[in-house]
Amino acid sequence: MDRPGAVTLLRTAVGAFAAAHDGERWCVALSGGADSLALTAVAATLRPTVALIVDHGLQPDSAEIACAAQRQALELGCVAAQVLTVTVGTDGGPEAAARTARYRALDEARAGAPVLLGHTLDDQAETVLLGLGRGSGARSIAGMRDYDAPWGRPLLTVRRTVTRAACAELGLLPWEDPHNTDPRFTRVRLRTEVLPLLEEVLGGGVADALARTAAALREDAEALDALAARALVEVRRGDGLDVTGLGGLPSAVRRRVIRSWLLDGGARDLTSAQIHRVDALVTDWRGQGGVAVTSPLRRVRLFAARRDGMLTMHTEPV
């Protein structure tokens, strides 16, 4: 039998996603690149689709590129196509700042509908490698979920070569983002240097293996998250946590309980080091002071501390 074409493979992947997740309509984040363009072409044939095109303003011709993607979306059958112009800040470096601005704009424009993203199996493999290199723990190595409301990723089982082939089959000309080949960006070097080297040394199949690893870890992490959610209810005392109850939990569950409690209390962008330092207030108590955790608060700092057998949170002026 002939192997299915690239467009057929994409339709199968997006159709399976649609069957698994209810909804009458969806949005798709369209950059004009091969991944999002191929996704838009298929999505528009399955459900009423609104294309959301983010113009980051980082290149001189960004407005023209966004308008071209808007025209392509309407030609592909999208019911609407909207250009979202954003201002990219500087927090966290250029990649992180652009991502923050992009997701904020998409969230504001989606009007309650899920947003499909063009992340592929290759993106998943890169995410796992980034997590490994940063020592971010199982949560990061578990990669991206196919649906983490409102963000949908129907193409996580599809290679990047398939989206490019699908564009060719459909006669579509994707935009080639120069940032995707700029070695100043860590992810670009992973894509163009590290992964090809791993494929050569290990005899191929590395991207697929990394994606399988992410899926297995994600199942484990979700099971631990469920245990931690139940444990959080049991050890919570008002706004604090009972230290004795926490001390009886397995470390993997206890740290998840602490993480959830910190997030509920206003912490943001928690690091593994911060969570471990708060955990030490339970497991290695020597009368130490509070632990500062990241938060969006201005002119004050958020602290977790141990007092009278409880973990509590408080703020202090900067």
Side-chain angles (χ1 to χ4, degrees):
M1 294 179 63
D2 293 336
R3 297 181 62 182
V7 174
T8 299
L9 291 173
L10 289 188
R11 284 178 178 153
T12 299
V14 181
F17 178 88
H21 304 289
D22 294 333
E24 296 180 356
R25 61 190 180 90
W26 51 34
C27 300
V28 61
L30 174 61
S31 68
D35 300 337
S36 63
L37 189 59
L39 173 60
T40 301
V42 172
T45 67
L46 298 176
R47 285 185 185 170
T49 299
V50 175
L52 301 176
I53 303 106
V54 178
D55 177 7
H56 298 86
L58 297 177
Q59 299 175 47
D61 55 351
S62 64
E64 290 79 5
I65 294 167
C67 287
Q70 184 180 39
R71 289 192 297 271
Q72 284 180 309
L74 295 174
E75 291 169 358
L76 289 171
C78 289
V79 296
Q82 182 179 356
V83 175
L84 312 173
T85 303
V86 301
T87 300
V88 177
T90 58
D91 289 348
E95 288 178 281
R99 183 169 55 251
T100 297
R102 178 168 62 254
Y103 276 84
R104 182 184 298 118
L106 292 170
D107 195 26
E108 291 173 353
R110 65 186 180 87
V115 180
L116 305 189
L117 307 172
H119 295 138
T120 65
L121 185 147
D122 299 82
D123 294 299
Q124 184 76 296
E126 292 161 13
T127 298
V128 174
L129 281 179
L130 281 171
L132 281 168
R134 292 169 177 166
S136 305
R139 189 179 301 277
S140 178
I141 300 170
M144 299 174 283
R145 291 185 173 92
D146 70 331
Y147 187 61
D148 190 7
W151 315 112
R153 300 177 178 88
L155 305 185
L156 286 182
T157 60
V158 175
R159 296 299 303 264
R160 193 174 288 135
T161 52
V162 175
T163 63
R164 289 190 170 278
C167 286
E169 286 182 18
L170 294 168
L172 300 174
L173 183 63
W175 171 58
E176 300 293 344
D177 186 351
H179 287 165
N180 288 338
T181 56
D182 189 336
R184 292 178 300 169
F185 300 114
T186 303
R187 190 176 281 269
V188 170
R189 297 196 67 186
L190 280 176
R191 181 179 306 149
T192 59
E193 299 175 34
V194 177
L195 268 171
L197 180 60
L198 285 173
E199 294 279 358
E200 177 185 341
V201 171
L202 298 177
V206 171
D208 294 274
L210 288 169
R212 289 196 303 272
T213 298
L217 279 170
R218 194 158 52 251
E219 290 180 355
D220 292 348
E222 288 172 354
L224 288 169
D225 286 344
L227 292 173
R230 292 196 290 271
L232 176 59
V233 174
E234 295 172 358
V235 301
R236 186 187 286 273
R237 303 289 183 268
D239 293 332
L241 298 179
D242 175 61
V243 168
T244 301
L246 281 171
L249 297 172
S251 59
V253 176
R254 183 179 61 251
R255 289 175 189 141
R256 280 171 166 79
V257 170
I258 289 171
R259 179 179 183 274
S260 295
W261 172 69
L262 291 171
L263 291 173
D264 288 346
R268 296 292 181 272
D269 302 322
L270 290 167
T271 66
S272 177
Q274 288 174 333
I275 294 171
H276 276 74
R277 284 198 294 271
V278 176
D279 187 45
L281 298 175
V282 178
T283 62
D284 188 24
W285 174 242
R286 295 170 282 103
Q288 62 266 41
V291 176
V293 294
T294 312
S295 81
L297 301 173
R298 295 186 177 183
R299 299 189 179 90
V300 295
R301 299 178 72 192
L302 182 63
F303 286 83
R306 175 168 172 163
R307 293 174 181 167
D308 301 323
M310 297 282 293
L311 287 189
T312 62
M313 273 184 273
H314 68 276
T315 58
E316 295 181 7
V318 176

